[in-house]
Amino acid sequence: MVLSRFWLAIFISSITYVVFSLFAGNSYTVDYILNGKKDDPVLLSEKYLHELPVFIKDSIEKAPEKTMVINRDTLNLDTTYVYKNKTVKIYSGVQKSDGLLPTCKNSLLDLIIPLIAYLAFFCGLMQLLIESGAAEKLARRLSPVFVKVFPTVPKNHESISYMTLNFAANFLGLDSAATPFGLKAMESLQELNPDKDKASDAQIMFMCLHAAGLTLIPTSIIGYRAAENAANPADVMLPCIITSFIGTIAAFIIVGLRQRINFKSASLVMALMAVIGAIIGLLMYINGLDLIGKNFFTSNLSGLMLVGIIGFTLIFSLWNEKKFVAKNTTIFDAFVTGAQNGLKTGVTIFPYVMGMLVAISFFRNSGLFEIISNALSFFFSNIGVSKQITDSLPVAMLRPFSSGGSRGFMIDAMRTYGPDSFTGRLSCIFQCSAETTFYVIAVYFGSIKVKNTRYVLGTMLLVDLICVIAAIFVAGWFF
């Protein structure tokens, strides 16, 4: 219900502002909101040739293509005058994201089709884990901990193995693998849900822990920093780990208090200490490496772990091939069956993803997001917050809405202020330490057709805010 109202609020407020801007003369056209593409020039106005300043009129008439570009500010894009059919169209700036119709198209071609391919492959692997008995063994070993965090999930339930694989993939920054595992976990938890239209306690806890985004190897962030020629691309790794860990603990405590989980459980405390110990051990090892060693380790660990999971699944399945024979199937046929289920899941979530992405696109292109972002930056700057922090806030603000949009702001911050500046580093930490909240809710709950998400949205946004605050303090401590 909350997500539905928020979705409607985004659309209605954006449409209202667009119509007001058009009739108030603040914008010239609404076509770019419907049909424009990201980074296309924005049409500001249209005038007759004789209405322009003389030097611009003369330059246009002399130009071979009747086009003139004026560089007014080296930090901004050029203003372009295009003469055609007796009028001059004036363009300046670029569109923030694709318009409504291109977003509908691209959400299918650029997002859903690749996601369906990932789902098909990894759901095929998960089917092998089920048929071979590996998922059952993994669930049995982790049940003592998971039954404390998820009291409504029975011991040895298959959802435990799926959630484990999802968390492991997130730890290693393997987004393509984490999503299929997470969707399978939600489907499995839905089987235990007595009210199919309403999110269960277990699903809420899983979603909030997933959204906290605990990451041990932020490979994508390191890659972007290396591309921008940072002196040490991996120097934000420790701040990213600390910030995401704080967010994970915050999510666990907030949801746990609401669900009255026993935090004094010995198995729970031991599991938490084991995670902390693993993080400290990993950091100590990485800290002992030189720059080349750090780059080699961080760039290969995630890939090797994914290859290891695939290899283990296939070898374990071959070792237990008798179980497949007993079920009158083969290893490959079981993989195909799982892949077909992945295809069905991808088709199911498409309308949910498209609806959310279109709303976000409309919100950004309307100009409302920029107004809110500038207002918050102005507010924080006037209460004494450093400009280095306010310059990186657009990344934190856009992250819950759009991973691609916030990534664009992050790259822009590194290019504008430098990858080794405080703003550039803080932007990277913001990008790493939170999840695309609205997209994740649409995908995960859309896959199981849950309509009432209860307090998930509010909790996830609160965790995002905690991660932002933690990132600022952690970045200030390190840099």
Side-chain angles (χ1 to χ4, degrees):
M1 183 66 71
V2 174
L3 182 64
S4 175
R5 288 177 179 174
F6 191 88
W7 182 79
L8 287 171
I10 289 178
F11 255 126
I12 293 172
S13 60
S14 299
I15 292 172
T16 302
Y17 182 77
V18 166
V19 173
F20 172 80
S21 297
L22 180 65
F23 287 99
N26 297 328
S27 62
Y28 182 75
T29 178
V30 298
D31 182 69
Y32 71 98
I33 294 177
L34 300 175
N35 299 300
K37 295 183 179 180
K38 186 178 183 298
D39 295 330
D40 276 356
V42 177
L43 178 62
L44 295 183
S45 63
E46 186 174 9
K47 296 183 178 181
Y48 290 106
L49 188 61
H50 68 269
E51 295 178 321
L52 299 175
V54 176
F55 79 98
I56 295 179
K57 174 184 174 183
D58 292 341
S59 299
I60 290 176
E61 289 178 337
K62 294 177 181 178
E65 296 182 2
K66 305 296 184 182
T67 302
M68 180 183 179
V69 177
I70 294 182
N71 192 357
R72 297 188 301 177
D73 187 344
T74 56
L75 296 179
N76 297 320
L77 291 177
D78 300 332
T79 298
T80 306
Y81 296 82
V82 179
Y83 177 68
K84 187 177 182 181
N85 295 332
K86 300 181 180 180
T87 64
V88 179
K89 293 184 177 180
I90 305 173
Y91 299 86
S92 186
V94 295
Q95 190 160 331
K96 303 301 181 183
S97 63
D98 287 334
L100 187 149
L101 298 180
T103 298
C104 292
K105 173 185 174 183
N106 295 335
S107 62
L108 174 63
L109 298 180
D110 298 337
L111 183 63
I112 294 299
I113 290 179
L115 179 59
I116 287 177
Y118 297 145
L119 285 170
F121 179 75
F122 286 104
C123 285
L125 286 182
M126 284 186 285
Q127 189 67 30
L128 296 184
L129 289 173
I130 295 171
E131 301 289 352
S132 65
E136 182 181 353
K137 289 185 178 181
L138 180 62
R140 190 182 304 120
R141 294 195 176 187
L142 294 174
S143 282
V145 175
F146 273 77
V147 294
K148 302 298 182 182
V149 181
F150 304 92
T152 58
V153 177
K155 279 188 176 182
N156 306 331
H157 193 262
E158 63 180 12
S159 62
I160 295 175
S161 58
Y162 299 145
M163 288 189 285
T164 301
L165 291 170
N166 173 264
F167 293 144
N170 271 330
F171 290 168
L172 299 169
L174 301 171
D175 294 337
S176 58
T179 300
F181 293 144
L183 291 173
K184 195 67 177 178
M186 290 293 281
E187 290 177 8
S188 184
L189 291 173
Q190 183 69 350
E191 296 174 2
L192 304 172
N193 188 2
D195 189 346
K196 302 301 182 183
D197 290 334
K198 186 177 179 181
S200 66
D201 285 351
Q203 289 171 333
I204 292 173
M205 175 62 82
F206 170 67
M207 281 294 299
C208 292
L209 291 178
H210 169 84
L214 177 57
T215 303
L216 296 181
I217 306 293
T219 49
S220 60
I221 301 297
I222 294 172
Y224 288 123
R225 288 183 53 75
E228 297 301 322
N229 300 313
N232 181 5
D235 61 3
V236 298
M237 190 172 79
L238 182 54
C240 285
I241 294 173
I242 294 174
T243 304
S244 61
F245 184 72
I246 292 172
T248 302
I249 295 298
F252 177 58
I253 292 175
I254 293 170
V255 179
L257 289 173
R258 185 128 188 192
Q259 298 181 1
R260 298 179 180 178
I261 289 176
N262 180 17
F263 293 101
K264 297 180 181 179
S265 169
S267 58
L268 197 59
V269 173
M270 289 180 63
L272 182 61
M273 296 302 296
V275 172
I276 295 175
I279 293 174
I280 293 175
L282 178 65
L283 294 176
M284 290 179 63
Y285 173 75
I286 294 175
N287 192 52
L289 301 174
D290 58 15
L291 179 59
I292 294 178
K294 288 179 181 177
N295 293 337
F296 177 80
F297 181 82
T298 55
S299 63
N300 285 288
L301 178 63
S302 299
L304 286 174
M305 289 297 293
L306 181 57
V307 171
I309 291 173
I310 296 172
F312 168 80
T313 302
L314 296 176
I315 294 172
F316 192 86
S317 298
L318 182 60
W319 184 265
N320 294 275
E321 192 172 15
K322 292 181 180 179
K323 292 186 177 181
F324 292 87
V325 175
K327 296 177 182 179
N328 197 29
T329 186
T330 65
I331 294 176
F332 184 72
D333 288 339
F335 173 84
V336 171
T337 299
Q340 289 173 341
N341 292 331
L343 289 174
K344 294 177 183 177
T345 302
V347 173
T348 300
I349 66 177
F350 169 61
Y352 297 88
V353 174
M354 182 194 65
M356 187 57 64
L357 292 181
V358 167
I360 293 170
S361 167
F362 214 101
F363 180 54
R364 288 199 67 201
N365 287 327
S366 70
L368 267 181
F369 174 81
E370 191 171 356
I371 291 174
I372 296 173
S373 176
N374 292 338
L376 286 176
S377 296
F378 178 78
F379 170 77
F380 284 118
S381 63
N382 278 274
I383 62 174
V385 178
S386 169
K387 187 177 184 300
Q388 293 177 312
I389 295 176
T390 59
D391 287 338
S392 60
L393 284 179
V395 178
M397 287 188 59
L398 195 56
R399 183 66 170 121
F401 295 95
S402 168
S403 176
S406 60
R407 181 169 58 246
F409 274 115
M410 177 191 72
I411 295 172
D412 182 68
M414 286 193 287
R415 291 177 178 175
T416 302
Y417 305 102
D420 296 321
S421 66
F422 183 84
T423 299
R425 285 167 167 155
L426 181 58
S427 298
C428 293
I429 300 172
F430 282 152
Q431 179 72 10
C432 179
S433 57
E435 184 57 90
T436 315
T437 300
F438 294 96
Y439 168 78
V440 168
I441 291 177
V443 169
Y444 279 65
F445 284 112
S447 68
I448 53 176
K449 300 180 180 179
V450 166
K451 299 176 182 178
N452 185 357
T453 58
R454 298 170 67 191
Y455 50 89
V456 169
L457 179 60
T459 302
M460 290 174 67
L461 290 177
L462 178 58
V463 172
D464 286 339
L465 177 60
I466 292 172
C467 286
V468 169
I469 296 172
I472 293 172
F473 281 102
V474 171
W477 182 28
F478 275 87
F479 308 116

